[in-house]
Amino acid sequence: MAKFGFVEESKGFNVSIRGKSYPVIKAGNGIPCILICLGTPSLRTISKNFAHMFEIYSSDVYWVDSGALDDPESVTMDIIIDDIKAMADALKLKKYVIFAHSAYGIIALEFAKKYPNAASAIIMIGTPLNSNHNVAETNNAIFQHKADQRRKLIDAERRAQIEKEDLSKLNASERWLREYVYRDAPRYWHIPDFDCTQLWKGINLNRLLIRLFSDILPKTDVLNGLEKINEPIFLAAGVSDYDCCPWVWQEVPNLPKNFTISIFNKSGHWPHYEEADLFDESIKKWIEAIPRS
């Protein structure tokens, strides 16, 4: 049975990126692995078994209030990618696995295009086929077609409730809890009314995360040049992930040759947490099969 909470065994220190200092948590003793962008939710949902395979580095950098940038409007996809590389360099890592949950997987793929061979491999969890209005409409159509009636009922009730609320008065973290955690649970979790509030406890998001989804990601087409990526890629796709529908990657004609899609039948958007034992076993087999340079 998977166990979580290994963070108590971790070590903390700071790294400097573009003249600003950010806290980093290090845990585990295996292959170096960076949890990119907002690291804490991923760190809270990977198991002790996973930590035995990897030497994990996690930081929330400038996605939370404590690390907020003075000029968040200046942040671009290129800057985000360069800062991931800068963190790896500051950590003095020559080779490392990138762990990217959700749309951060798009960033990981763009990183691999810009910095080929910097990462030894990429683990993506619940990553969508781009993040824009058209993709959202397609995913909604899939939800309406495939989801069962109980899931649809919970979804409709929660969306109706949120429509009555004035979210404009909320800060970024409060709004995230009402939309992502409460309203969107039927589209993110295999258990459609699962409450994941604890995963976000103490994480004070700032507006940059909202801008990532409203402005930066919609301008990115990850399919452009996708086939040129040489790094091994593992995508964990839960069948109940109706907001990102990661399993539709199977239909992409220009997938890289080293792109592995692993389907999790009792998971939604978080298969590394919802089916941790199966996820860990799948990752172990995959990582062991990668040729060592």
Side-chain angles (χ1 to χ4, degrees):
M1 180 68 67
K3 294 182 180 180
F4 303 90
F6 67 87
V7 181
E8 298 128 7
E9 304 166 12
S10 62
K11 299 177 181 178
F13 54 92
N14 282 35
V15 298
S16 179
I17 301 174
R18 289 190 288 127
K20 192 173 177 67
S21 183
Y22 298 101
V24 175
I25 290 176
K26 176 184 176 183
N29 299 293
I31 302 167
C33 177
I34 301 176
L35 312 186
I36 66 168
C37 299
L38 194 64
T40 298
S42 292
L43 189 64
R44 289 175 175 175
T45 50
I46 54 180
S47 73
K48 283 190 175 184
N49 288 335
F50 187 93
H52 289 156
M53 289 185 276
F54 295 93
E55 180 180 85
I56 298 161
Y57 295 90
S58 171
S59 177
D60 294 330
V61 285
Y62 39 62
W63 302 100
V64 293
D65 281 346
S66 60
L69 298 172
D70 295 331
D71 186 16
E73 295 301 316
S74 68
V75 175
T76 63
M77 178 62 76
D78 264 350
I79 287 175
I80 295 170
I81 291 169
D82 290 345
D83 289 346
I84 293 170
K85 181 67 164 56
M87 173 171 286
D89 292 345
L91 294 170
K92 295 181 170 51
L93 301 179
K94 293 183 178 180
K95 281 289 186 179
Y96 44 89
V97 173
I98 288 180
F99 183 106
H101 181 248
S102 191
Y104 303 147
I106 295 172
I107 297 172
L109 295 175
E110 292 301 300
F111 177 94
K113 293 176 191 175
K114 184 169 185 178
Y115 293 109
N117 302 316
S120 58
I122 297 171
I123 298 172
M124 304 195 307
I125 316 289
T127 297
L129 251 180
N130 283 322
S131 181
N132 55 48
H133 179 71
N134 290 337
V135 170
E137 284 194 335
T138 298
N139 292 347
N140 181 58
I142 293 173
F143 174 80
Q144 299 302 335
H145 177 68
K146 288 181 173 288
D148 62 43
Q149 288 304 311
R150 178 172 179 265
R151 187 178 294 274
K152 287 180 181 177
L153 178 61
I154 296 171
D155 181 76
E157 289 175 345
R158 293 191 175 200
R159 289 180 184 278
Q161 173 60 37
I162 294 299
E163 280 292 322
K164 300 175 185 177
E165 301 179 12
D166 182 5
L167 303 184
S168 65
K169 297 179 180 180
L170 305 181
N171 63 35
S173 288
E174 292 167 338
R175 184 160 186 158
W176 190 262
L177 291 176
R178 293 306 295 153
E179 292 181 321
Y180 182 90
V181 173
Y182 173 75
R183 182 194 66 190
D184 296 342
R187 303 197 183 205
Y188 278 127
W189 294 91
H190 188 63
I191 299 171
D193 56 356
F194 184 78
D195 182 0
C196 69
T197 303
Q198 282 297 112
L199 301 184
W200 300 92
K201 185 177 180 180
I203 301 175
N204 298 310
L205 303 173
N206 60 47
R207 293 288 172 180
L208 180 57
L209 189 67
I210 294 174
R211 183 168 171 267
L212 174 70
F213 288 98
S214 64
D215 182 55
I216 299 172
L217 286 172
K219 294 177 180 176
T220 303
D221 183 3
V222 76
L223 301 182
N224 184 24
L226 179 67
E227 71 283 353
K228 298 177 183 178
I229 298 176
N230 293 318
E231 289 81 358
I233 301 164
F234 181 97
L235 170 65
V239 297
S240 296
D241 187 352
Y242 289 107
D243 194 75
C244 292
C245 301
W247 21 270
V248 300
W249 281 91
Q250 296 171 111
E251 303 165 10
V252 173
N254 64 326
L255 280 183
K257 61 181 180 180
N258 292 326
F259 199 111
T260 299
I261 301 174
S262 187
I263 304 297
F264 292 81
N265 292 312
K266 296 180 181 179
S267 292
H269 197 49
W270 301 73
H272 60 294
Y273 184 63
E274 296 173 88
E275 293 183 84
D277 289 330
L278 178 58
F279 175 82
D280 293 343
E281 180 183 347
S282 300
I283 287 292
K284 185 175 186 294
K285 291 179 179 177
W286 171 74
I287 205 76
E288 289 177 347
I290 296 174
R292 296 285 182 261
S293 56

